[in-house]
Amino acid sequence: MALLGTLIARSLRIRKQFTIKVAPPRIYQRRVLRNLLERGQYTAFGKKYGFDKMLSESLDWEKEFREKVPLHNYNSMFSEWWHRCLEGEENVTWPGRVKYFALSSGTSESASKHIPVTRDMIRSTKKVGFKQFYSMTNFDIPPHTFEKGVLMLGGSTSLTESERGDYYEGDMSGISAKNMPRFLSNFFYKPGQKISRQPKWDERIKLIIENAPKWDVGILCGVPAWAQIVLEEIVKTYKLNSIHDMWPNLAIYIHGGVSFEPYKQNFKRLFSKPVTFIETYMASEGSFGFQARPGAKGIKLVLNVGILYEFVPFNQENFDENGELKQHPQTYFIHEVKEDVEYAVVLSTCAGAWRYLIGDVVKFTDVKEHEIMIVGRTKQFLSLCGEHTSVDNLNKAIDAVNQQLNVQIKEFTVAGFPYENLFAHKWYVGCDDPLDAAAARKIIDDTLCAINDDYAVERTSALKEVIVEVLPTQVFIDYLKHTGKFGAMNKFPRVLKGKQYQDWQAFLDGRKG
């Protein structure tokens, strides 16, 4: 392992001496679209939308593609196309049969989405990983870091085989681990395949803590909430002053999934040596980019790995009040975007997603460097630590309370906030019937765990508490009047964030005073 690590560190130093010529963003993305159309023209999707004619007859196939292929969300993509992949049909939206499906966060219809993961997408994800690896030459990182272990904290790598035995499903991290290059898996990957296959997160934490002294970790990867919990437990268990007392060579923390800002100070308290923080942009639909240079505010999109990006301005012209896309919105390619404009991300990929609205909202921090920052979701979500709780989830939880306790909750809103170094949700429930807050809390919590996989996982880790406060319905009405938004066209927000939550709390405090 030491020899292999030395060779990797040396290759990074050698590469730093060379300047790699790059093409303009438009050239890369034009090539990607051409390749996607060529590969997809013989699929059922490609035949329906005439990919062959776009390639052979159109002088402007970029324009033809945007005009003829409609935008999709998950429900429309799955109901018309991807369900056929799940049933074993070949050549539906991408050549061949889909062998893997990544389970993503819940929708209104089920606990998990099934996102196709093709061999081409697995190769794409690997390419992005290696590009990120080589980009680390831009950072001031000790060379011996790359001789040490890489601790990856994610979902279970245990995959479930379908009843027919023709595909596997599970967390994207499990699919990636199953297809990880053997030399990485054998020599660097921690906590190792055996521990990572443990399906219960709390059991994995115990095993990681138990084995932590055996490892020499140089790079840590994972969602901030999970990583914080693991590091705190190790420090507490072994009575350390910092994690560097056990892992003195830890020099890089690679994170993504949620904003790192709420966690940054907590992490710094866990370290006694400098650690470089690097943000990534990954999802079940693919790996999209990473922070490629020190001090950059944004994540650099990788434009030549089989993923085409389009961007829809996230405004009232293109989206309704529920975050649903309106018909015929204008989309922009990478060379057409502007800085500091909010865009919803649309993908066409080598996994057979076509003009697919992924749900993220981004801003370009540097158009020339094609660097973005994630600023939200197209629909209202409560996601402090990766729980991805949608308004639909919230509505189902309240409906369960109404039915099980035979009450009528007329209004409600939810806010999230830091709580004992982790996080909590607070529900403000407007009900004029007698309502036991503790009973309502249990029903809400149980319902969300049942319909939302991500919420269920976070309730065992970073989402420490759920609080319910029962208020008269009139309080919600009075607040709308107070803010000048009382009327038939105004709705009480289901999720309160930032200043809006501060104003609401100040209003409630004023009533008590």
Side-chain angles (χ1 to χ4, degrees):
M1 178 172 172
L3 176 61
L4 184 57
T6 301
L7 292 173
I8 291 172
R10 185 176 298 171
S11 72
L12 287 174
R13 290 196 298 271
I14 293 172
R15 187 185 185 279
K16 195 170 185 178
Q17 299 174 12
F18 296 91
T19 300
I20 309 296
K21 290 185 178 181
V22 295
R26 183 180 186 182
I27 298 300
Y28 281 134
Q29 286 284 271
R30 183 176 172 86
R31 289 174 184 168
V32 166
L33 176 55
R34 178 88 189 182
N35 184 62
L36 291 175
L37 293 175
E38 288 176 349
R39 294 292 306 281
Q41 63 182 313
Y42 302 113
T43 65
F45 190 96
K47 290 176 181 178
K48 177 172 181 176
Y49 293 107
F51 285 4
D52 57 343
K53 291 183 179 179
M54 289 184 201
L55 293 166
S56 62
E57 299 178 8
S58 176
L59 296 177
D60 190 350
W61 35 268
E62 290 174 304
K63 180 181 177 182
E64 288 278 301
F65 177 72
R66 285 198 283 196
E67 288 181 350
K68 292 186 176 179
V69 180
L71 292 170
H72 295 85
N73 58 20
Y74 174 77
N75 288 337
S76 62
M77 201 75 206
F78 186 84
S79 62
E80 188 173 358
W81 300 102
W82 286 346
H83 77 94
R84 295 162 60 180
C85 301
L86 204 62
E87 292 162 4
E89 186 177 339
E90 295 183 352
N91 306 318
V92 180
T93 60
W94 195 251
R97 178 181 284 119
V98 178
K99 186 177 179 180
Y100 299 103
F101 288 87
L103 299 181
S104 186
S105 55
T107 67
S108 58
E109 300 302 325
S110 62
S112 293
K113 303 176 187 177
H114 284 77
I115 308 294
V117 181
T118 61
R119 293 191 180 279
D120 288 302
M121 179 52 72
I122 291 169
R123 281 192 286 268
S124 170
T125 300
K126 289 179 181 177
K127 287 179 183 177
V128 175
F130 281 113
K131 286 176 181 289
Q132 179 177 7
F133 184 70
Y134 281 114
S135 76
M136 290 183 185
T137 58
N138 300 326
F139 296 84
D140 185 18
I141 297 170
H144 65 260
T145 300
F146 303 101
E147 302 171 8
K148 311 304 177 182
V150 180
L151 176 57
M152 301 178 69
L153 302 172
S156 171
T157 60
S158 177
L159 302 180
T160 302
E161 189 174 8
S162 69
E163 292 182 1
R164 297 190 309 270
D166 56 350
Y167 70 83
Y168 295 91
E169 65 181 29
D171 193 273
M172 186 60 184
S173 62
I175 296 171
S176 298
K178 191 175 181 68
N179 292 275
M180 184 183 298
R182 184 167 295 179
F183 78 91
L184 287 178
S185 180
N186 290 343
F187 294 103
F188 296 99
Y189 174 56
K190 310 297 181 188
Q193 297 288 355
K194 185 176 180 180
I195 294 175
S196 296
R197 282 195 293 268
Q198 168 59 244
K200 294 184 178 180
W201 169 240
D202 54 348
E203 292 299 322
R204 288 207 305 280
I205 289 180
K206 290 178 182 177
L207 291 170
I208 289 169
I209 293 168
E210 180 182 328
N211 286 273
K214 304 174 185 177
W215 306 327
D216 186 2
V217 174
I219 301 174
L220 174 67
C221 308
V223 174
W226 292 6
Q228 179 185 330
I229 289 169
V230 169
L231 296 185
E232 287 180 342
E233 286 298 317
I234 292 173
V235 169
K236 178 182 176 182
T237 300
Y238 296 99
K239 297 179 172 57
L240 310 175
N241 292 318
S242 83
I243 196 63
H244 281 111
D245 292 343
M246 179 171 290
W247 298 330
N249 296 303
L250 177 61
I252 303 171
Y253 173 43
I254 299 173
H255 61 88
V258 295
S259 171
F260 187 54
E261 285 307 310
Y263 301 89
K264 202 166 189 177
Q265 292 306 314
N266 289 336
F267 271 83
K268 286 183 176 179
R269 284 194 287 268
L270 291 165
F271 300 145
S272 59
K273 294 183 178 182
V275 172
T276 299
F277 300 117
I278 301 177
E279 186 174 6
T280 61
Y281 184 15
M282 299 182 68
S284 297
E285 290 83 0
S287 183
F288 310 131
F290 48 84
Q291 185 181 355
R293 54 197 180 113
K297 294 181 179 179
I299 298 166
K300 191 180 190 74
L301 294 176
V302 181
L303 305 179
N304 59 349
V305 290
I307 300 174
L308 175 77
Y309 297 94
E310 295 177 72
F311 302 92
V312 182
F314 189 59
N315 53 35
Q316 292 181 346
E317 294 180 7
N318 296 322
F319 291 85
D320 65 21
E321 62 182 6
N322 295 317
E324 296 288 352
L325 193 65
K326 296 180 181 178
Q327 290 188 343
H328 311 302
Q330 175 68 51
T331 68
Y332 298 90
F333 287 133
I334 192 73
H335 63 283
E336 300 170 322
V337 296
K338 298 178 180 179
E339 290 179 10
D340 295 324
V341 174
E342 290 191 350
Y343 294 101
V345 180
V346 174
L347 306 173
S348 297
T349 77
C350 56
W354 294 101
R355 306 201 76 204
Y356 175 81
L357 190 72
I358 192 174
D360 290 325
V361 179
V362 303
K363 280 185 180 180
F364 279 83
T365 57
D366 191 318
V367 168
K368 183 179 178 181
E369 295 290 334
H370 39 95
E371 291 175 343
I372 56 113
M373 63 184 299
I374 304 167
V375 297
R377 298 280 292 173
T378 53
K379 295 186 178 181
Q380 216 178 10
F381 271 68
L382 186 59
S383 191
L384 294 176
C385 49
E387 69 273 35
H388 301 306
T389 310
S390 69
V391 171
D392 184 71
N393 293 159
L394 305 181
N395 288 333
K396 279 182 165 51
I398 288 296
D399 185 56
V401 174
N402 284 336
Q403 291 190 40
Q404 294 182 40
L405 298 183
N406 194 27
V407 295
Q408 185 177 7
I409 296 174
K410 297 178 181 178
E411 286 286 3
F412 74 94
T413 191
V414 190
F417 55 91
Y419 184 84
E420 297 182 0
N421 286 332
L422 295 172
F423 297 95
H425 288 177
K426 185 165 184 179
W427 292 68
Y428 300 89
V429 176
C431 184
D432 300 319
D433 301 322
L435 178 59
D436 183 344
R441 175 197 176 281
K442 186 177 188 308
I443 294 170
I444 287 170
D445 199 30
D446 290 348
T447 302
L448 291 177
C449 284
I451 65 175
N452 185 325
D453 293 346
D454 292 340
Y455 178 93
V457 170
E458 294 304 331
R459 282 293 284 130
T460 68
S461 52
L463 188 55
K464 187 175 180 65
E465 187 56 83
V466 175
I467 303 164
V468 172
E469 181 176 349
V470 181
L471 298 168
T473 305
Q474 188 61 41
V475 173
F476 293 81
I477 297 172
D478 290 344
Y479 179 74
L480 290 175
K481 291 178 179 178
H482 171 74
T483 57
K485 296 181 179 180
F486 180 72
M489 295 302 294
N490 292 291
K491 299 177 181 179
F492 204 96
R494 291 297 177 233
V495 177
L496 294 175
K497 299 178 181 179
K499 188 177 184 304
Q500 195 174 40
Y501 178 47
Q502 295 172 12
D503 291 344
W504 165 249
Q505 194 60 54
F507 173 77
L508 294 181
D509 291 341
R511 288 181 69 254
K512 294 175 183 177

